[in-house]
Amino acid sequence: NINVSGDAGGGTVLVGGDYQGKNQNIQNAFRTYVSSNSTINADAITNGNGGKVVIWADDVTRYYGTISVRGGSESGDGGFVEVSGKRFLDFRGHVNALAPNGRIGTLLLDPTDITVVTTGGIDSAADVAAFATATCGAGDNSATCSISPATLNAAGATVILQAQNDITVTDAINLTTTPDASLTMQAGRTITVNSSVATNGAGNITMVANNTDNNETDAAGGALTGSQGTGRSAGLGNLIINGAISSGTGSIKLVASSAATLSGDPGTLTLSNNITTNGGTVTLKGPVTLGAASTVDAGSGAVNFTSTVNGGFALTVNTTGATTFGNVVGGTTALTSLTTNAGGTTTLTGSVTTTAAQTYSDAVVLAANTTLDSTGNSTINLASTVNGGFALTVNTTGATTF
């Protein structure tokens, strides 16, 4: 047991290396094992912030213990915990980064690949023995690391998942244990979400694929560190959303590629389910392809599509705030339909093509010359005002209503 707690703030514990193994003044361990009866405390007792605890290995880390970096009982924020093996991480322990009178702390997990799955994990505690033989997938410590949703929910901290390669969410993530806890996923290549992801309270959700540079920010505007040094260029992966994404009042940011300047394919954000927040901002950054009928519901929050939107499915956007389409909609593959609800505004920065109806129940603002085209000759309904110093053309043999 290690205890560096202090009345005015928690201390620092480095086991096997410093943050992401990058501190050349701290020698890195090749493999690190933390047993289930091991405890590390770096709490602030009365006033002050929780401390910093890093568990690192250049090869394999197996973590089954308990870390506490709580904020002070009267004031102070939770601390920072990183548990990572550069090539493989088996994370089955506990972390407490709560703060009774401050902001919750952060848990960072950053191995090579991550799968969030309830059952079927590759490794067990019995496998750790003396680290003599790797038991991760192919046996070379480079296979996917499996982390259970229950482990993330019980973390008692804001959770950051960083994978040099890919992140796959197989089973649902729901951060209910810690109110206002946020979830950030960053992958050097692809993020695939095959089940629902949810935070509660003011917890934000951020997902960034192709995150190889340091130019991106999370949903709260905080800077993100990309997977530099991997030799990968942005555009080799995609962000695939097959499960529903929801937050309480927090914001949601989904990014297909973090690179400011792209060479080749920038990657695509495929949306095949619904996105919901009660007043947070929803941002979809990068080209969006609809893989199924989808609804984005932001309550009173803003909804921003920064690039093109394509795909032969229906898209519905519900918000009493501002909706912005930053590029052409349906230019390559026409949407089935586009619907916006009453209240707020919808800003169009390019033309919109659908095979069926277009319904704009809120005020429309033209930010460029715009053509609304229903190739299936269905109705185009602009139920509120239309403004903007640009030309508007409506093409349909169905009914057009202003």
Side-chain angles (χ1 to χ4, degrees):
N1 296 325
I2 301 172
N3 192 332
V4 295
S5 299
D7 189 67
T12 297
V13 177
L14 306 178
V15 179
D18 203 343
Y19 175 73
Q20 295 188 330
K22 295 178 179 179
N23 188 343
Q24 296 182 355
N25 295 319
I26 303 296
Q27 184 173 352
N28 292 347
F30 184 64
R31 291 173 177 164
T32 299
Y33 168 60
V34 179
S35 66
S36 60
N37 62 345
S38 295
T39 301
I40 301 174
N41 294 96
D43 299 321
I45 297 172
T46 305
N47 293 290
N49 300 330
K52 170 186 174 182
V53 177
V54 174
I55 309 295
W56 174 266
D58 284 344
D59 189 42
V60 177
T61 292
R62 301 185 187 273
Y63 171 77
Y64 310 110
T66 299
I67 296 173
S68 180
V69 290
R70 289 174 58 90
S73 60
E74 296 183 3
S75 67
D77 301 331
F80 174 83
V81 177
E82 177 186 11
V83 181
S84 184
K86 188 173 183 179
R87 299 189 68 191
F88 175 69
L89 169 65
D90 185 6
F91 182 97
R92 304 190 188 201
H94 303 280
V95 171
N96 187 339
L98 297 174
N101 291 290
R103 294 174 297 181
I104 60 174
T106 298
L107 168 64
L108 168 64
L109 308 174
D110 55 342
T112 301
D113 294 274
I114 299 173
T115 293
V116 181
V117 59
T118 301
T119 58
I122 298 170
D123 301 296
S124 67
D127 292 328
V128 301
F131 283 122
T133 303
T135 56
C136 175
D140 61 359
N141 295 335
S142 62
T144 299
C145 304
S146 299
I147 301 172
S148 75
T151 297
L152 301 180
N153 183 36
T158 283
V159 175
I160 300 175
L161 303 178
Q162 292 180 337
Q164 295 288 313
N165 290 342
D166 306 315
I167 297 175
T168 303
V169 178
T170 301
D171 293 314
I173 299 173
N174 192 351
L175 302 186
T176 59
T177 299
T178 307
D180 303 331
S182 296
L183 175 65
T184 297
M185 300 183 190
Q186 299 168 255
R189 295 191 309 210
T190 292
I191 299 176
T192 303
V193 179
N194 290 326
S195 194
S196 61
V197 174
T199 59
N200 294 272
N204 301 311
I205 297 174
T206 305
M207 300 182 189
V208 185
N210 298 303
N211 195 180
T212 55
D213 60 23
N214 297 330
N215 297 322
E216 196 52 68
T217 59
D218 62 22
L224 295 176
T225 301
S227 58
Q228 295 185 83
T230 63
R232 298 189 186 93
S233 299
L236 297 181
N238 300 291
L239 177 53
I240 303 168
I241 306 297
N242 296 322
I245 309 295
S246 64
S247 67
T249 59
S251 294
I252 298 172
K253 185 174 184 179
L254 308 178
V255 182
S257 178
S258 69
T261 302
L262 299 171
S263 57
D265 180 10
T268 298
L269 196 169
T270 300
L271 180 63
S272 302
N273 214 309
N274 300 330
I275 300 173
T276 306
T277 178
N278 187 20
T281 297
V282 177
T283 302
L284 295 93
K285 185 176 179 181
V288 173
T289 297
L290 299 179
S294 302
T295 297
V296 179
D297 193 338
S300 60
V303 177
N304 302 308
F305 293 86
T306 69
S307 187
T308 57
V309 181
N310 288 285
F313 297 93
L315 175 63
T316 300
V317 181
N318 296 327
T319 177
T320 57
T323 299
T324 302
F325 290 96
N327 210 313
V328 174
V329 176
T332 302
T333 303
L335 276 60
T336 301
S337 62
L338 176 62
T339 304
T340 64
N341 72 329
T345 60
T346 293
T347 298
L348 300 177
T349 313
S351 297
V352 179
T353 303
T354 58
T355 58
Q358 297 180 32
T359 303
Y360 305 92
S361 298
D362 53 357
V364 172
V365 178
L366 303 180
N369 294 334
T370 300
T371 298
L372 306 181
D373 193 345
S374 172
T375 60
N377 300 320
S378 294
T379 60
I380 295 180
N381 184 12
L382 296 111
S384 186
T385 58
V386 180
N387 288 285
F390 297 93
L392 174 63
T393 303
V394 180
N395 294 329
T396 181
T397 59
T400 299
T401 303
F402 288 93

